[in-house]
Every structure is written in structure tokens, then in C-alpha cells.
Amino acid sequence: MNSIWTAETEPDKFSRLDRDIKTDVLIIGGGIAGILTAYRLHHMGVKYVLVEKERICNATTCNTTAKITCQHGFVYHKLLKSLGVEGAKMYLQANKAALKEYSRLCKNIECNYEPKDNYVYSCDERKLEKELAAVEVIGADAQLCRRLPIPVNYAGAIKFSNQAQFNPIKFIKAISKGLNIYENTFVREMTENSAVTDSGTIYFDKAIVTTHFPFINKHGSYFLKLYQHRSYFIALENAPDVGGMYVDENKKGYSFRNYGSFLLIGGGGHRTGKQGGNWQELRRFARAHYPNLSEKYFWAAQDCMSLDGIPYIGNYSKNTPNLYVATGFNKWGITGSMTAAMILSDMLTGKHNEYAGIFSPSRSIIKPQLFVNGFESTAGLLTISKKRCPHLGCALKWNSAEHSWDCPCHGSRFSETGKVLDNPANGDLKTRKL
Ligand code: FES
């Protein structure tokens, strides 16, 4: 099961750490958020090291649909309520800055970068009106569209012009050249200024955790602030050009974009550990609407969802001044990772970043989703099952579409034989043969 990106290319390989070292900044986690942060620190002249427990970009980054956009579902009417006009404008501006930075970098990189319009569609007229009013208030360049070239039900869509799409692995391959990266280097223990791996200890002044789901449980309460969501994708060959990037505002809807002559369709999603439509639903949809096209690739992605739709970027917690984090990108990790890299590289070099405040991981957690997460965790802990998650002990559920054991509490996943596939669990199942 390769995504369309990894079927075509793979990131460069890096060696394993083989001694004790000292650095100013340690970055743990080699997805796009960690690599972009490393790239920026590298060009700012900061002494840094990035470690990745396996190969770089072999999880969420290689399974993304690689859309670069400021339009993250119907988020702006919610941000107006939670952050006010100035806060919602800041969120827009932070993402615009990320878009601009991608455009600058991609000028010199062969990574299929293409400016595209982004559309978020909805069947709900009331929601469309509310979001349209919100984007007008904050001055976003958006239009209401009533006709779309995709075979779904909708009342309309809100279009953001001049967003972009690319091939994330070709991009990473280019920007990671020359960076101080160690692969196959698993951090087993952390103290305030050291990280112990199997092949050496890294002494650092500051550390950044970009491991998708933050792995340190002692600080920051990320096991309350995040849950994980799975999405499924298929790529159809010799497909029509749909002309833009499309996503339903409803989490259960479909997404569309082209890549060359392929059409990428996403959907069938669900909270990790719960039931969903998965590839079966997508294949039924493709048979009904694109009966003459054949499927070439299929894959799935896992996203960390925050409580309020805003990523957590900044100090890991109030009590950890030298520890930083970037996580909770919801389903917009490509754009969010660039925002994170810009904020973190400024924070680490003592520069003021005007957007840092709205992404602070220490903001209030009193949101309705907190109670849903609390309920799921309690239910997971109380469910009787022999298969228990090594993270915090919840009962695992069998995912028949992917042949994996999935945890509904915080989203860890394990293969049929017990190998850990997705964190926050950081080790395999210790049960008998499954
Ligand atoms: Fe936390 Fe399973 S992922 S208990």
C-alpha cells in the first residue's frame, strides 16, 4: 500500500547516529514539520540536529494529499467566535505567509508545484452563508461558487484563489539535502538536556518535538488535547481534469485533486479505532461516477486533530521553557508545518513572531471536543479486551479494512503481528501472538 508519492520517488537516506553528540537544538521527528524547521535553522546558522526513529517522511507526510492552502474547511466562522476578528485575521495571515514561503522555495525545486484554486463545498446553505460572512469580515479573497465539476451533492462552495498543490516527497528530497539528519535513531529517554538513543546520547540546550503525536506524556496533556482521524485515498488513472482542489466541509465527505493524469479522491474517514467507510466506500463512489477509470494506487493517512481547529505550535507546556512542539495540524499539515517552522525558528532565535500567540499550546482547553476525548478515553479504559494499548492501556479495536489493531483513545495503531504503526505508543504490543 504505497501512496502515489512514495510509489514514484523516495526521500534520500541518512545515516544512523553512532556516538554521543552535543547540539544547540535537537529536533525529534522527521516529518515535514521537523524537516522544514531544520531547513530554516540550517539557513539561519543555528547548530541543530534532527533525529528520526525510522526513515524521514515515512508516515503522515508521505500520505498527504499535499494541498497548500489557507482554507481549512469552514474554520473562519469558528475562529471569529473563539479568537475575534483580529485573531481570525492573524490565522489567515499566518497561513498566507506559509503559502508565500512555499511559492518562494518551490520556484527552484522540481516538485510539480502548481497554483490551484481551493474549494470547500457544503450541502448546508446556512453554513455556507455563515462562512462566507466570516471570510468577508476578515478580508479573505473568497468567492461563492454554485457550479463545481465534481460528482457530489452540494449547495455551493467557497473558493480561495491561488492556493497550490505539489508532490511532497520531491519537495522534501530537495530541501533535506545537506541537513543534519540521523535516521533509524530512536529517542528512548529524555531528560531536560539530553536524549538517549540506542546508539548515542544527544546533549542539547533546546528540543523540538515534531513526532506527529507528541510522545512526552508528563507535560502538556496532549493525550487530552488531541485525537486522531483516519482518511482513505484512491488514485484513478487517465482521469478528467477537475481544475482545482475540493474538499467537503463535512468530515465524512470527499476530497478531490488531480496529479498529472490522476484523480485523487479522499474520504471514508473516521476517528481512529472507530468504524468508517474506508476504501470500500471510495471504490463504490468511483464505480458509480467514474466507471471507466481504473484505480492505480490506494493508501490511508492519519491526522492529529486539536480541540479548536488550531494547531499547537510553541512551548510544549508552560513549565518547559526549553522544550517546543508542533502538532495538531488537523487535516492541513502541509501548510501548518510551514507555519510551525516559521514560528519555531523565530522563537528559537529570539525573534518576535506576531502569529505565535494564537498557536500557543498553553491556550485554554475548555472546548466541547475535550469532553468527547475524555469520554472516548474513559470508555476505552473500561472496555474489557485482551488487546491493550501500551500507551495508556485502552482496549484496541480490530480494523478489518487495514488489518490493524487501532486505539480509539489517542490513535495508536499496531500491525496484525503487534508492530507499532502509529504513535503515541512508542513500542510494539507485548501480547502473545495475535
Ligand atoms: Fe493512548 Fe492507546 S493511544 S491509550
Side-chain angles (χ1 to χ4, degrees), residues 389 391-394 407 409-412 424:
C389 179
H391 177 227
L392 296 176
C394 288
C407 183
C409 290
H410 316 107
S412 293

Side-chain angles (χ1 to χ4, degrees), residues 3-12 32 36 57 60-68 102 105-106 108-116 164-176 245 257-262 264 297 299 334:
S3 74
I4 194 164
W5 320 119
T6 48
E8 201 176 70
T9 186
E10 66 167 332
D12 288 347
I32 192 167
L36 282 170
C57 296
T60 311
T61 304
C62 72
N63 293 321
T64 170
T65 50
K67 299 175 187 132
I68 308 169
Y102 271 116
L105 289 176
C106 290
N108 302 316
I109 299 174
E110 173 33 61
C111 60
N112 306 92
Y113 177 89
E114 295 174 87
K116 289 276 173 190
Q165 62 186 29
F166 71 165
N167 177 324
I169 302 300
K170 286 186 185 174
F171 173 77
I172 292 289
K173 205 174 161 67
I175 66 158
S176 61
M245 309 180 293
R257 68 158 276 195
N258 289 104
Y259 175 62
S261 62
F262 289 98
L264 280 47
Y297 302 109
W299 69 99
I334 294 293

Side-chain angles (χ1 to χ4, degrees), residues 333-352:
I334 294 293
T335 324
S337 290
M338 182 63 89
T339 306
M342 294 168 90
I343 291 174
L344 292 174
S345 56
D346 281 353
M347 288 179 87
L348 277 132
T349 51
K351 279 193 203 147
H352 172 72

Side-chain angles (χ1 to χ4, degrees), residues 215-232:
F215 68 98
I216 301 167
N217 293 323
K218 207 160 69 171
H219 303 289
S221 305
Y222 291 94
F223 54 87
L224 288 175
K225 294 200 290 208
L226 292 170
Y227 74 97
Q228 300 203 62
H229 194 268
R230 285 194 79 65
S231 309
Y232 298 84

Side-chain angles (χ1 to χ4, degrees), residues 248-392:
D248 196 333
E249 55 82 19
N250 186 325
K251 275 199 202 116
K252 291 195 185 289
Y254 298 114
S255 75
F256 303 82
R257 68 158 276 195
N258 289 104
Y259 175 62
S261 62
F262 289 98
L263 177 62
L264 280 47
I265 307 179
H270 56 84
R271 181 177 174 124
T272 304
K274 300 280 182 184
Q275 297 297 317
N278 61 66
W279 295 295
Q280 280 182 353
E281 181 186 330
L282 291 177
R283 285 170 182 148
R284 270 198 306 274
F285 178 85
R287 274 197 301 276
H289 298 285
Y290 299 102
N292 299 323
L293 303 189
S294 52
E295 178 185 311
K296 180 81 188 264
Y297 302 109
F298 70 99
W299 69 99
Q302 173 126 316
D303 291 296
C304 277
M305 313 296 285
S306 67
L307 294 173
D308 55 6
I310 304 172
Y312 301 116
I313 303 167
N315 281 105
Y316 202 96
S317 74
K318 275 189 185 145
N319 306 321
T320 52
N322 295 324
L323 184 63
Y324 299 79
V325 72
T327 187
F329 297 121
N330 299 294
K331 292 185 173 288
W332 309 100
I334 294 293
T335 324
S337 290
M338 182 63 89
T339 306
M342 294 168 90
I343 291 174
L344 292 174
S345 56
D346 281 353
M347 288 179 87
L348 277 132
T349 51
K351 279 193 203 147
H352 172 72
N353 185 298
E354 58 185 319
Y355 309 124
I358 56 171
F359 294 94
S360 168
S362 300
R363 63 188 184 266
S364 169
I365 61 169
I366 308 304
K367 303 284 170 197
Q369 185 64 40
L370 177 70
F371 301 100
V372 178
N373 291 356
F375 172 81
E376 290 293 347
S377 295
T378 309
L381 286 168
L382 295 179
T383 300
I384 295 167
S385 165
K386 279 190 187 157
K387 305 280 188 297
R388 312 300 304 191
C389 179
H391 177 227
L392 296 176

Side-chain angles (χ1 to χ4, degrees), residues 12 92 238:
D12 288 347
L92 174 67
N238 301 317

